[in-house]
Amino acid sequence: MNPTPHDLAALEALAVEVAREAAAFIVEQRPTELEVSTKSTHTDVVTVMDSRSQELISERLRTARPQDAFFGEEDGAERGGDPSETGLTWVVDPIDGTVNYLYGLAPYAVSVAVVEGDPAVPGEWRPVAGAVVDATSGEVFHAHLGGGSRRRGVDGTETELTGSGCTDIAQALVATGFGYDSAKRGRQARALVELLPAIRDIRRGGSAALDLCHVASGQVDGYYEMGVNAWDIAAAWLVITEAGGLLTGASGRPPSPDSVVAAGPGVHADLLALVDSVIDLVREDR
Ligand code: LIP
């Protein structure tokens, strides 16, 4: 997929600007009584702030980039114009780590990415610029295709991200997450029982986007999860690959809700082999 002739640095800067504004909004405007409803299950929550954050992001992006398409977690794909005119779609998670946000528990994030192709079809899209803002720390993870991967601290200091140097899977600290469906969580737990003895330990932070950014920063050595969506991974995918990391699905296929496996080059193949050895325990049709 040849990159389209867009100013990717400018698109990255727009993603950073909008994600930072939305992150500040969800913290500063959080009502004392948070209206909550549920989606796929009784634990798959969406708050009024998920919707308000997405409205803010959508309004800012449509003003700045009216001819791009928009694909947000809270209302699915919308056409912001004729995507064929730009070939670009903004993929947004207005609050990643919604359960953490509901409980007032760090971390939770805002993820804003712009992608080429169709983000609704695994293997048919890739990110070209994006940003993930940790709304609880103020840190910004950002990247554009070919531009490297950075973390901006709250003091504005930029740090180049190059991942962890881990080369031994038995020493790997691995982040993961679990789904909202209780039967699937049970299957994911059984897979974890098989996988855990082969690695150092797991961490379950509650935000896939930040888990993936922490692979890029070397704060964990790897990440895997079954059941995350394009909006969870779109920006962080680029943050990882621009930091020299690898992100695939099981069996090396493109990432999809079936599976995401991310790590540095020293352990990605070993983590992928472990996930491949347990993934049938998780898939429903087995
Ligand atoms: C969450 C992910 C997390 C996963 C949760 C949920 P949300 O996204 O970031 O890694 O384990 O099940 O999908 O729902 O907070 O946007």
Side-chain angles (χ1 to χ4, degrees), residues 39 44-45 50 73-74 93-100 176-180 188 204-211 223 225-229 231-232:
K39 297 189 288 188
D44 182 4
V45 294
D50 291 79
E73 175 173 9
E74 302 315 332
D93 193 339
I95 300 180
D96 187 55
T98 297
V99 173
N100 285 358
T176 190
F178 307 101
Y180 290 120
Q188 289 172 317
R204 199 298 192 238
S207 164
L210 286 173
D211 288 338
Y223 164 88
E225 188 162 353
M226 295 81 167
V228 290
N229 294 291
W231 46 77
D232 294 307

Side-chain angles (χ1 to χ4, degrees), residues 84-101:
S84 62
E85 288 176 45
T86 67
L88 297 179
T89 300
W90 290 88
V91 180
V92 168
D93 193 339
I95 300 180
D96 187 55
T98 297
V99 173
N100 285 358
Y101 183 73

Side-chain angles (χ1 to χ4, degrees), residues 161-187:
L161 302 180
T162 56
S164 85
C166 184
T167 56
D168 179 359
I169 191 66
Q171 297 294 316
L173 186 65
V174 176
T176 190
F178 307 101
Y180 290 120
D181 174 78
S182 58
K184 182 166 187 178
R185 274 200 309 280
R187 299 196 299 273

Side-chain angles (χ1 to χ4, degrees), residues 3 23-24 34 36 51 90 100 108 114 125-126 138 161 170 185 197 210 219 268 272:
L34 199 54
V36 184
S51 306
W90 290 88
N100 285 358
Y108 42 88
V114 59
W125 64 280
R126 73 169 182 182
L161 302 180
R185 274 200 309 280
L210 286 173
Q219 291 168 281
H268 182 266
L272 184 60

